[in-house]
Structure formats: structure tokens, C-alpha cells
Amino acid sequence: MDTDTITMPKVHHGRNVKRFRDIMGIKQEVLADALGVSQQAVSKLEQKEVIEDETLNKVAEVLQIPVKAIKNMPDEMAVNIFANTFQDAAAVNHYNCTFNPIDKIVELYERLLEAERKNK
């Protein structure tokens, strides 16, 4: 086994562009407009494993992130960032009902019956 070999994690520029765009809440159409291309061109761009430096510089400028972030963020790191970010947010958004919905239905039914009895 050769201990001098280092395996670099796989980096997909297009997926990284999509991830950063999604994190910032920017739609493909908005990015396309800022880059002066069509939405379909942005869609194709996000499918490319390697994006040319000139295009990466433009995308990074529009998204206001360093080019290195797009070039160097491996898939594993992105998944980890999303998992940690959304796990915490999900806990905040849980809705705990403070009443029994069936009790409310029974109350409504009883009021309807009472109203019907009064109208007879």
C-alpha cells in the first residue's frame, strides 16, 4: 500500500453553484439574468462537473462568494453543511397542538344540537 498517495474528494462545480444558489434563495432565472444568459444555460451549467474559470468568476461575483468555495467544496462537506443547518431549523418549526381536535368537534356538534333544539 502506497502511503504517499492522497485521494482528493470529488468536487462538482455545477452542484456547488446550485447549492450556493439554493442557500441564498436565488432562482435560476435571476442568476441567468445577472449573467446575461438564459435559464436553460444556468441549468446546463449546474450539471457540469468542471466549469471554466471565466464563468466561475462571473457566477462567484453574482453570488458574492469566493471562487474557491465553488471550486473546493466536496460533496460530502455540502451534505454535512445542509444536515447541520436544517436539523436545527426543523426543531424550531415543530407545531405542538395545545388542544384535542376531537374535543373541539364534539363541542361544535353539541352547540349545533342545542341551536337546533331552540329553533323547534
Side-chain angles (χ1 to χ4, degrees), residues 43-59:
S43 179
K44 287 180 183 177
L45 181 77
E46 291 178 352
Q47 295 172 17
K48 287 179 138 184
E49 187 169 345
V50 177
I51 300 173
E52 305 78 30
D53 285 343
E54 183 181 336
T55 306
L56 270 182
N57 288 331
K58 290 178 185 177
V59 170

Side-chain angles (χ1 to χ4, degrees), residues 51-120:
I51 300 173
E52 305 78 30
D53 285 343
E54 183 181 336
T55 306
L56 270 182
N57 288 331
K58 290 178 185 177
V59 170
E61 185 179 324
V62 170
L63 296 178
Q64 298 178 347
I65 58 172
V67 175
K68 286 183 177 183
I70 298 171
K71 280 186 159 186
N72 299 330
M73 186 170 71
D75 288 345
E76 297 81 20
M77 185 184 300
V79 169
N80 201 12
I81 289 169
F82 278 105
N84 290 337
T85 302
F86 291 112
Q87 178 183 2
D88 295 339
V92 173
N93 293 326
H94 282 297
Y95 175 73
N96 294 324
C97 190
T98 58
F99 61 89
N100 185 346
I102 294 175
D103 289 342
K104 293 295 182 183
I105 293 170
V106 170
E107 285 177 26
L108 177 61
Y109 181 72
E110 289 173 348
R111 281 189 288 172
L112 287 171
L113 282 176
E114 186 65 34
E116 190 175 306
R117 287 182 193 139
K118 286 182 181 179
N119 289 335
K120 285 187 178 181

Side-chain angles (χ1 to χ4, degrees), residues 27-45:
K27 293 188 175 198
Q28 282 185 341
E29 293 84 3
V30 175
L31 180 59
D33 188 48
L35 293 173
V37 298
S38 68
Q39 178 271 323
Q40 291 83 2
V42 170
S43 179
K44 287 180 183 177
L45 181 77

